[in-house]
Amino acid sequence: AFVQEFWLRRGVPDSKMQNASFFHHLLSWYTKRNDNDTLFLFFEDLKEDLPSQVRRIAEFISNDKWKCTDAAIDNAVRMSSFSFMREHSGHFNETLSKKARNVACGLSPDAGMNDSKVRSGKTGAGMKILSEELRAQISEKWIEVVGRETGFNSYEDLRSHVKEEEEAATK
């Protein structure tokens, strides 16, 4: 139900009180990716090189009055590791929002309370549990919404392009 509702049915919100679809949300930030006040990240990059990405985040939020220390970066890397998150999985769930949301959404008050966002520590694991039909629908929706605006017909193509832009900007 979540995939159909959040990924496939939603579109551009009618008001600021509505949530956009994943695709429209992504596009809203993609257009700002080169702005000085925006840091565009990919989960896969965090998985591939967490220390470099944490340092990149620290540099982005640093300013003339505050710089992130190496000790703070090391601690952030440690606390962002899969092993730390798995050990403390109860801190990475949505218990408070689920308590408020479940009944209002017609769900059992305890629906999803035992679920943690810390699962396998691998990228792409969520797509593997979806049916082939749902994966095809997501791909079609990507092309319809994101592909039409960017010319990139897959997430991987968009990610590659952004990485190429970033590499060119640092030369």
Side-chain angles (χ1 to χ4, degrees):
F2 174 80
V3 171
Q4 285 102 344
E5 179 59 33
F6 186 70
W7 286 62
L8 300 173
R9 283 197 195 106
R10 288 186 188 172
V12 177
D14 294 326
S15 75
K16 291 183 178 186
M17 297 304 293
Q18 292 180 325
N19 292 324
S21 75
F22 163 77
F23 306 102
H24 292 90
H25 174 78
L26 174 68
L27 282 175
S28 75
W29 286 104
Y30 177 76
T31 60
K32 299 175 184 339
R33 72 190 180 286
N34 296 317
D35 292 358
N36 289 336
D37 62 351
T38 303
L39 181 61
F40 203 76
L41 298 170
F42 292 92
F43 178 69
E44 294 83 356
D45 296 336
L46 292 162
K47 290 298 297 175
E48 288 172 10
D49 189 355
L50 183 59
S52 292
Q53 293 299 314
V54 169
R55 188 163 300 283
R56 184 173 168 221
I57 295 165
E59 289 170 4
F60 177 75
I61 63 174
S62 295
N63 60 37
D64 294 338
K65 297 178 184 176
W66 182 84
K67 300 282 186 218
C68 196
T69 65
D70 287 341
I73 290 171
D74 291 345
N75 196 41
V77 169
R78 180 182 65 80
M79 294 177 79
S80 300
S81 70
F82 179 72
S83 60
F84 180 91
M85 293 172 94
R86 176 62 104 194
E87 185 178 333
H88 301 91
S89 63
H91 296 284
F92 301 98
N93 61 31
E94 297 174 331
T95 300
L96 292 177
S97 63
K98 286 177 182 177
K99 282 182 180 179
R101 178 199 71 205
N102 283 354
V103 174
C105 291
L107 300 171
S108 165
D110 61 345
M113 289 298 184
N114 295 323
D115 294 341
S116 171
K117 290 184 176 185
V118 182
R119 295 199 175 120
S120 70
K122 309 278 187 238
T123 61
M127 288 297 272
K128 292 178 183 170
I129 63 172
L130 299 178
S131 69
E132 185 63 40
E133 178 184 352
L134 273 178
R135 287 194 304 266
Q137 289 174 11
I138 290 169
S139 180
E140 289 169 17
K141 189 71 161 184
W142 175 282
I143 292 167
E144 173 189 324
V145 178
V146 181
R148 183 179 337 150
E149 290 292 320
T150 66
F152 302 110
N153 287 329
S154 72
Y155 174 84
E156 293 78 16
D157 290 346
L158 177 96
R159 181 174 171 238
S160 294
H161 173 74
V162 170
K163 287 182 79 134
E164 288 170 8
E165 282 184 332
E166 290 169 357
E167 289 169 8
T170 59
K171 290 183 180 180

